[in-house]
Amino acid sequence: MNDPLSPQSNDSQKRLLAALALSFAATAVYTFFFAPTPPPPGSEIPDAGVVATAPADAGTPPAVQPPEGGTGTGATAEAPPPPARKVELQRDEATYAFSSEGAGLTAAVLKGAKMREQQELTVTQGFQKLFGKEIPPAPQMDLARPTPGQPLPLAVSITGASPLPADLNYALDEGAPGNADGVTFTGRRGPWEVVKTVKWPMDGFELSYTLQVRNTSGQPQSGELQVHHNRAIDPNFEHAPSFFGGVGNLSRSACWVGDKLQKMSPGDDHPDAEDTRGQIQFFGIDQQYFLSALYPLEGPRAGSCSFEATPTLRKVTASFPITAAPGETVTLRFGGYFGPKDTDLLAQVPGASLRASTGLTDATFHPPLAETVDFGIWAVICKILLWVMKFFYGVTGNWGVAIILLTVVVKLVLLPLTYRSMVSMEEVKKLQPRMEEIRKKHADNREQQNLEIMKLYQEAKVNPLGGCLPLLIQMPVWIALFTALRNSFDIYGEPFIGPIWRDLTYKDPTYLLPLALGVSMVITQKMQPQMMDATQAKIMTWFLPIIFTLTLLQYPAGLSLYIFTNNILSIAQQYGLRKWLDRNKPQTGGGTPAVAGAGGRRK
């Protein structure tokens, strides 16, 4: 849980690696010893499109209640709270909706074709799309979906002798100077006056969030300022990864404390208390392809984080100690990012527009938001594959074609090894008659049979695993590509062809692609030289492809496309190399028999 290199996605990587390893192990063992889904949630934007009309006194803050144990600076009696208001701000990248009850977000709905929830289609819906029937699109991604009974995202509270609740009703001042690109809230309770200003730079997914906390009493005040962030979750949409059930889609409550990223998903244990205290670099909700996070603008700030993760809620609260003398104002400035997990964008946070709008210098602290895109131990291979695919995407404009061209590149790189592998398999094929004799001679003694066959391999200087080397090398590429598909927003929501393969990072709803993969794998197995008896060869020809196909049914269509293309290229490659080997077979003169290419016969 506390290891930043062990996210939920690594469980899926291990499961896929286990499936591939199982397939490879099965081949080796035989060689040596046997020779209706509901509509996705979030389609409604809370309060979106509704901008309440401001009452005549909406901008007038309430009078201050005298603080306990001190003399207030406002009226002697607490005035009624200002009326609740809602406001909506339309940006090029998103629609933001606020409520004055808690002065927090009620919606942060991203705009654009790719900024959608990941939609799961049934097989029927998949074929309906295949034949041109329109299916309702997935709703836009909302990064601030409120949870009943919980503080709104961006809400604040103060704990201590003079608490301030998270659901305090604030006065909304849309006419504040310089507030054309943002919104300002003012709230008072006891000795505290809190002014919250949220502003956006000219473009992008970033925002600035300034908190001014003033002690209006005649006595020093202290406490912990808590900044809340949470998001409602529909358990029917998010699910944990499983071996045959897909790669999973779980968001996490996240907080980078010190030099570690602490995360929590449903079922995880709470992080140790000592691991949640220290210099906070950022905190928020980390989803598969999207991130909503806040970070101290001036650099890491001492504090602590608390987590909550249930099937219907992800919540993180960052607490910062504050102390204010009478009349003193404590200011905390945060930056925020509500958008896709695009590594190029995340690495630049805070970006030039936010720096310019807040007066920050180029040396400003950059929170490690890009670390939420975690490729794990496959990072080097993932980045190489992504670089190659981005290059081909720039040329073709289609990520599916980019994956196909990546497969061709990998095949060409492995061509020398594939050639040596085929030569090795042909040499093993020539030994089949003698291997059959050994099996008949020691039919009742399997151990002696295996020893004799291994001795035969050694005498002939043949490596029986030579034919498995290309597959062995391809396995890390498959795992790395799966990891890239699982984490890269570049490929998220990108189609291949037709109406069904509209998201290469998600499964094929018709299962046509993984089934075609299984058929191509059977053909590939049949074309390889058989190093086992007929019964064992038949089992391996059909058993391995069936298991592999069942495993990949729920995995990303992009991975199935890569392996299917690889199998087609392997079929063509085996056919071509076998023709080339037959034409270049060494010939002997003077009546000396030459080795035939089929079955090791001599003529």
Side-chain angles (χ1 to χ4, degrees):
M1 165 61 210
N2 296 329
D3 185 358
L5 295 179
S6 301
Q8 286 286 345
S9 60
N10 284 350
D11 293 337
S12 301
Q13 299 168 15
K14 293 175 182 177
R15 290 182 176 89
L16 182 56
L17 182 58
L20 296 173
L22 177 63
S23 302
F24 180 74
T27 304
V29 167
Y30 274 103
T31 300
F32 283 103
F33 301 101
F34 303 96
T37 306
S43 58
E44 296 181 1
I45 303 171
D47 302 313
V50 179
V51 182
T53 303
D57 60 347
T60 305
V64 179
Q65 175 189 3
E68 298 179 5
T71 302
T73 59
T76 57
E78 184 175 0
R85 297 185 59 197
K86 294 178 173 63
V87 62
E88 181 181 287
L89 287 87
Q90 293 288 344
R91 308 277 303 168
D92 290 340
E93 296 80 12
T95 297
Y96 299 93
F98 289 87
S99 172
S100 62
E101 292 183 305
L105 283 167
T106 59
V109 182
L110 303 181
K111 298 179 180 179
K114 289 186 62 169
M115 308 299 178
R116 294 183 177 273
E117 299 271 10
Q118 196 168 54
Q119 186 179 24
E120 182 173 359
L121 300 179
T122 64
V123 177
T124 300
Q125 290 174 323
F127 277 101
Q128 286 175 341
K129 286 186 70 69
L130 178 62
F131 293 106
K133 183 176 180 179
E134 289 295 327
I135 300 296
Q140 298 294 135
M141 175 61 68
D142 184 355
L143 296 178
R145 190 179 296 129
T147 305
Q150 294 290 338
L152 293 176
L154 303 188
V156 299
S157 60
I158 299 177
T159 62
S162 301
L164 181 138
D167 59 353
L168 178 68
N169 203 352
Y170 286 71
L172 170 62
D173 186 0
E174 297 176 88
N179 214 32
D181 57 349
V183 62
T184 297
F185 298 93
T186 302
R188 298 187 180 101
R189 175 66 64 89
W192 302 112
E193 178 187 75
V194 179
V195 179
K196 303 167 63 171
T197 302
V198 183
K199 299 180 71 174
W200 284 264
M202 296 185 63
D203 53 21
F205 299 97
E206 298 179 68
L207 58 86
S208 65
Y209 181 46
T210 303
L211 295 172
Q212 294 174 297
V213 183
R214 185 165 69 96
N215 176 10
T216 63
S217 73
Q219 296 181 353
Q221 300 290 337
S222 62
E224 277 201 334
L225 177 70
Q226 297 182 326
V227 183
H228 302 272
H229 189 34
N230 61 73
R231 183 173 185 266
I233 301 297
D234 188 328
N236 294 320
F237 173 72
E238 294 204 358
H239 55 276
S242 62
F243 190 77
F244 289 107
V247 298
N249 176 32
L250 282 179
S251 56
R252 299 172 285 267
S253 305
C255 180
W256 191 295
V257 185
D259 59 352
K260 291 183 179 180
L261 179 60
Q262 307 291 338
K263 298 181 180 180
M264 186 174 179
S265 293
D268 293 339
D269 294 329
H270 283 270
D272 296 334
E274 59 270 19
D275 294 330
T276 62
R277 298 192 189 98
Q279 297 292 318
I280 295 179
Q281 302 201 44
F282 72 84
F283 59 96
I285 308 300
D286 177 14
Q287 297 175 264
Q288 186 173 356
Y289 298 101
F290 298 90
L291 176 69
S292 54
L294 296 171
Y295 58 91
L297 265 178
E298 285 83 8
R301 188 181 183 96
S304 64
C305 281
S306 61
F307 302 87
E308 187 174 348
T310 71
T312 58
L313 171 69
R314 304 292 185 273
K315 178 181 178 182
V316 60
T317 301
S319 302
F320 304 95
I322 59 170
T323 300
E328 181 183 5
T329 298
V330 178
T331 301
L332 290 83
R333 295 203 301 166
F334 296 92
Y337 182 88
F338 286 71
K341 288 168 65 172
D342 184 315
T343 52
D344 294 334
L345 295 178
L346 295 176
Q348 298 175 14
V349 173
S353 296
L354 184 61
R355 291 198 302 270
S357 64
T358 54
L360 299 174
T361 66
D362 289 338
T364 301
F365 159 70
H366 289 272
L369 299 182
E371 296 299 321
T372 59
V373 183
D374 186 8
F375 296 126
I377 62 174
W378 308 100
V380 174
I381 304 177
C382 285
K383 291 176 181 178
I384 294 174
L385 296 182
L386 282 172
W387 183 86
V388 175
M389 286 190 290
K390 284 183 180 180
F391 171 79
F392 287 130
Y393 175 75
V395 174
T396 65
N398 185 292
W399 281 100
V401 177
I403 291 176
I404 292 174
L405 294 177
L406 169 69
T407 316
V408 174
V409 170
V410 174
K411 265 301 186 190
L412 291 175
V413 171
L414 297 179
L415 184 58
L417 182 61
T418 304
Y419 171 75
R420 289 196 295 270
S421 170
M422 287 201 64
V423 171
S424 177
M425 287 191 293
E426 291 295 331
E427 292 298 325
V428 172
K429 185 177 178 182
K430 297 173 186 177
L431 299 176
Q432 283 294 322
R434 297 180 60 185
M435 292 169 63
E436 288 299 322
E437 292 177 2
I438 293 173
R439 291 191 181 101
K440 292 178 181 179
K441 181 178 180 181
H442 302 283
D444 299 329
N445 190 338
R446 177 72 66 177
E447 182 178 355
Q448 184 62 33
Q449 182 183 122
N450 292 332
L451 288 175
E452 292 291 334
I453 290 176
M454 290 302 299
K455 183 178 179 181
L456 178 62
Y457 287 149
Q458 292 173 355
E459 291 175 352
K461 297 182 180 181
V462 171
N463 180 8
L465 288 180
C468 301
L469 287 178
L471 174 63
L472 188 63
I473 293 179
Q474 283 277 9
M475 286 172 61
V477 178
W478 293 348
I479 299 296
L481 179 60
F482 161 77
T483 305
L485 292 167
R486 183 69 176 79
N487 292 277
S488 176
F489 181 77
D490 289 309
I491 315 177
Y492 172 72
E494 291 289 343
F496 176 34
I497 56 174
I500 55 170
W501 297 313
R502 55 181 178 75
D503 186 355
L504 291 166
T505 64
Y506 199 60
K507 71 176 184 179
D508 175 4
T510 65
Y511 301 122
L512 292 175
L513 200 53
L515 290 175
L517 179 156
V519 172
S520 66
M521 198 169 184
V522 170
I523 297 173
T524 304
Q525 291 288 330
K526 283 182 170 292
M527 291 186 66
Q528 290 180 352
Q530 299 298 331
M531 297 177 288
M532 298 165 282
D533 59 51
T535 302
Q536 294 168 344
K538 184 178 295 186
I539 292 175
M540 291 306 298
T541 299
W542 296 98
F543 175 77
L544 181 62
I546 290 174
I547 292 297
F548 203 73
T549 301
L550 290 176
T551 304
L552 291 176
L553 284 177
Q554 305 295 326
Y555 280 72
L559 182 61
S560 295
L561 177 62
Y562 178 92
I563 300 177
F564 171 71
T565 305
N566 180 74
N567 288 345
I568 296 300
L569 293 176
S570 295
I571 292 170
Q573 194 177 65
Q574 288 184 37
Y575 179 82
L577 285 177
R578 180 160 295 146
K579 290 292 185 181
W580 190 88
L581 287 173
D582 288 342
R583 286 198 307 267
N584 294 273
K585 193 176 302 177
Q587 300 293 330
T588 58
T592 303
V595 180
R601 294 173 297 176
R602 296 183 179 275
K603 58 181 180 180

